[in-house]
Amino acid sequence: MELTPPIRLRALEPEDLELLYQVENDQELWSVGTTNVPYSRYALHEYIANVTGDIYVDKQLRLIIENAEGETVGLVDLANYDPQHRRAEVGIVIQRRFRDKGYGRAALAQLLQYARRIIHLHQLYAIVDQANDNCLRVFKEVGFQTVAVLRGWLYDGDDYHDAVFLQFFI
């Protein structure tokens, strides 16, 4: 395995509006997530302004991934936080120009430490398109295990795709 580049996970700032706008409105990502409508800059501005950054309040946590040069390389989410069962779903997006450089692996590794040490989760899970080999590889490199294949789980507007359900027990 190649060396992991240094990164920093940080809270959303108003300056992240344009990145959030691009990610949330990228129709290529809609088929792998739960969003299927465009978001306005205003709605995203309000989200950034009102999110507390506290997973216990918001039931989600969105963090920006920065490299050693301070460039924003992507974002990582904990969503669908369930305090009773101490689990959350993981989502990650790396901007195209930063892909295949180890940033996803570095971000997931830091997120796992945060989930273990700070919010004391029992498990994390991810649902990934079975055809997304790079994403599956990254999750498996940090220790996620495939536990199921969800047949016809994701719809891209034309076709249904199988998804892989991955878990990581902390």
Side-chain angles (χ1 to χ4, degrees):
M1 182 174 7
E2 66 188 57
L3 292 175
T4 302
I7 59 119
R8 178 174 80 109
L9 299 179
R10 64 164 177 80
L12 284 171
E13 296 288 350
E15 296 79 24
D16 299 316
L17 176 61
E18 211 46 48
L19 170 69
L20 206 54
Y21 182 79
Q22 290 170 10
V23 167
E24 294 294 348
N25 291 294
D26 183 345
Q27 291 185 19
E28 290 180 21
L29 298 175
W30 289 0
S31 64
V32 298
T34 57
T35 298
N36 62 358
V37 296
Y39 283 92
S40 69
R41 281 185 177 82
Y42 177 78
L44 294 170
H45 177 272
E46 290 297 301
Y47 169 75
I48 292 171
N50 293 308
V51 70
T52 68
D54 183 342
I55 195 168
Y56 304 111
V57 173
D58 299 330
K59 304 296 185 230
Q60 66 176 356
L61 178 66
R62 176 166 276 181
L63 299 169
I64 297 295
I65 307 163
E66 284 186 348
N67 65 13
E69 291 75 35
E71 298 171 297
T72 300
V73 301
L75 52 92
V76 64
D77 296 321
L78 290 177
N80 300 317
Y81 169 65
D82 184 328
Q84 178 181 356
H85 302 292
R86 296 179 32 221
R87 68 177 172 239
E89 182 176 0
V90 178
I92 187 167
V93 176
I94 303 296
Q95 295 188 77
R96 284 175 184 83
R97 67 188 175 118
F98 294 107
R99 291 181 185 163
D100 299 318
K101 297 182 178 173
Y103 291 116
R105 184 176 57 249
L108 287 175
Q110 275 194 27
L111 187 70
L112 292 173
Q113 291 298 317
Y114 179 79
R116 176 182 296 120
R117 293 182 179 158
I118 306 300
I119 55 178
H120 311 290
L121 291 179
H122 170 63
Q123 67 177 293
L124 296 175
Y125 66 93
I127 299 172
V128 178
D129 188 318
Q130 191 171 31
N132 191 341
D133 294 329
N134 287 341
C135 189
L136 289 169
R137 177 182 43 79
V138 169
F139 273 100
K140 289 176 181 180
E141 284 176 354
V142 297
F144 278 76
Q145 300 291 314
T146 297
V147 294
V149 174
L150 306 170
R151 302 285 178 214
W153 193 259
L154 302 170
Y155 183 64
D156 67 8
D158 294 318
D159 297 305
Y160 287 93
H161 299 263
D162 294 347
V164 177
F165 188 91
L166 302 133
Q167 277 181 305
F168 184 92
F169 288 92
I170 299 174

